[in-house]
């Protein structure tokens, strides 16, 4: 349903002219009235409606570029599917048409992408990354407006939107601390830039909170089966987890594998050991798993907003915008107090809630766009 200024005026209890002045900045309005009008306009969806109209006027089509390594089929490609599905939903919401460009080789074919973008008169290019740092030198030379999703240009020559993978690990550790854990073990795997960032975030959080670091369990790959095998092997060798009362898993598939191995060994979660993952994508998240969502499905919102802003405000020479998307803690039911403690440790006089969703961002209470690095010069 279309919302107009009369609807806003009625709900806010002000004159239509007052709403018009607030929305267009054409007169001095008190802070209290201005905030009330904007809050109503936001709640009624008017601001999104107005933004969509501006988008339609400035952006009609985008090229979405993939290299041949960007898989969207199979169990291991759930992150890529979430990225692309999120982009398609946001483009549909904005009435944007999509033209795809798939490279025949490794990396992005600059000539092919440029030809498609010029032919289709596209507003810009979205580059779909698997989480790695990219060398986009040839594409940068084309002068096309481009935004990398889920990765960065290695010399910061292109705008980018990335998940807060390192911060997500610290959110998971903080949640375990709130539950009373001091002995935390990590289940990880080798390779993949985004998992490396999570691993670094975990190590930094362990050091910052002066927790007891335990030997890492390393899975052969990022999968449920590999996670289960790694934890089962550890339990088979030692019979326990070396005093650890909680496991932080670098991904939700690894966490699911850990849950299976612990169950097979007769250990109860969370009574005997707590488990928390990291990804938060519904498709790959076991029911009840405590995890941290890094917002793969929402990265497109920021990516297209950056592209839109570049059309209205030209990019300064040798600068880029880097948005680190915020995180959301999904408390789940797999984290509880350590064995022997009946209730979680109190933090600030309050017992942390269980089985609910709570949002945490990289700055303050965090919205989805929790950390913004503007004009990073190099």
């Amino acid at each position: 349903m279309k919302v107009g200024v009369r609807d806003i005026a009625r709900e806010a209890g002000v004159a239509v002219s007052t709403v018009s002045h607030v929305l267009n900045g054409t007169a001095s309005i008190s802070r209290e009235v201005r905030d009330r009008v904007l809050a109503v306009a936001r709640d009624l969806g008017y601001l999104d409606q107005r933004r969509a109209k501006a988008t339609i006027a400035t952006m009609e089509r985008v090229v979405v570029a993939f290299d041949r390594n960007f898989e969207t089929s199979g169990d291991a490609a759930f992150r890529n599917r979430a990225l692309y599905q999120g982009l398609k939903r946001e483009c549909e919401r904005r009435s944007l048409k999509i033209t795809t460009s798939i490279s025949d080789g490794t990396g992005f074919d600059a000539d092919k992408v440029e030809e498609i973008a010029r032919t289709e008169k596209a507003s810009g290019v979205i580059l779909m990354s698997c989480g790695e740092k990219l060398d986009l030198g040839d594409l940068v030379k084309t002068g096309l407006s481009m935004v990398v999703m889920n990765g960065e240009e290695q010399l910061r020559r292109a705008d980018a939107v990335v998940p807060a993978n390192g911060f997500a690990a610290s959110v998971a550790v903080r949640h375990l601390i709130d539950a009373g854990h001091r002995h935390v073990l990590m289940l990880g795997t080798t390779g993949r830039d985004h998992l490396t960032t999570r691993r670094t975030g975990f190590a930094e959080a362990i050091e910052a909170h002066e927790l007891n670091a335990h030997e890492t369990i390393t899975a052969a790959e990022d999968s449920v089966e590999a996670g289960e095998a790694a934890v089962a092997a550890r339990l088979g060798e030692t019979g326990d987890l070396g005093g650890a009362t909680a496991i932080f898993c670098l991904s939700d598939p690894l966490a699911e594998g850990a849950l299976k191995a612990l169950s097979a060994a007769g250990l109860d979660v969370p009574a005997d050991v707590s488990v928390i993952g990291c990804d938060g994508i519904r498709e790959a998240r076991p029911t009840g798993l405590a995890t941290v969502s890094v917002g793969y499905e929402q990265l497109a919102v920021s990516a297209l907003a950056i592209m839109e802003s570049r059309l209205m405000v030209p990019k300064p020479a040798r600068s880029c915008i880097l948005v680190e998307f915020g995180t959301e803690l999904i408390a789940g039911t797999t984290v509880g107090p350590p064995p022997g403690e009946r209730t979680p440790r109190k933090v600030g006089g309050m017992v942390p809630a269980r089985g609910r969703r709570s949002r945490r961002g990289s700055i303050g209470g965090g919205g989805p766009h929790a950390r913004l690095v503007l004009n990073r010069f190099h």
Side-chain angles (χ1 to χ4, degrees), residues 32-108:
E32 186 274 329
V33 172
R34 178 181 180 276
D35 289 348
R36 186 167 77 248
V37 169
L38 289 176
V40 170
R42 187 179 300 109
D43 292 343
L44 292 179
Y46 179 82
L47 296 184
D48 280 341
Q49 177 180 297
R50 184 165 171 167
R51 189 179 299 114
K53 285 184 177 180
T55 301
I56 293 171
T58 56
M59 298 172 63
E60 294 182 0
R61 181 181 296 275
V62 294
V63 172
V64 181
F66 308 87
D67 73 8
R68 67 178 182 182
N69 295 322
F70 193 93
E71 296 286 343
T72 57
S73 60
D75 293 341
F78 67 95
R79 297 184 188 91
N80 291 351
R81 281 195 294 274
L83 283 169
Y84 189 44
Q85 290 300 323
L87 177 60
K88 289 201 296 184
R89 282 195 299 270
E90 183 62 12
C91 285
E92 182 178 351
R93 190 186 72 82
R94 289 169 169 260
S95 299
L96 280 173
K97 298 180 180 65
I98 291 177
T99 299
T100 58
S101 172
I102 303 175
S103 174
D104 297 325
T106 302
F108 297 96

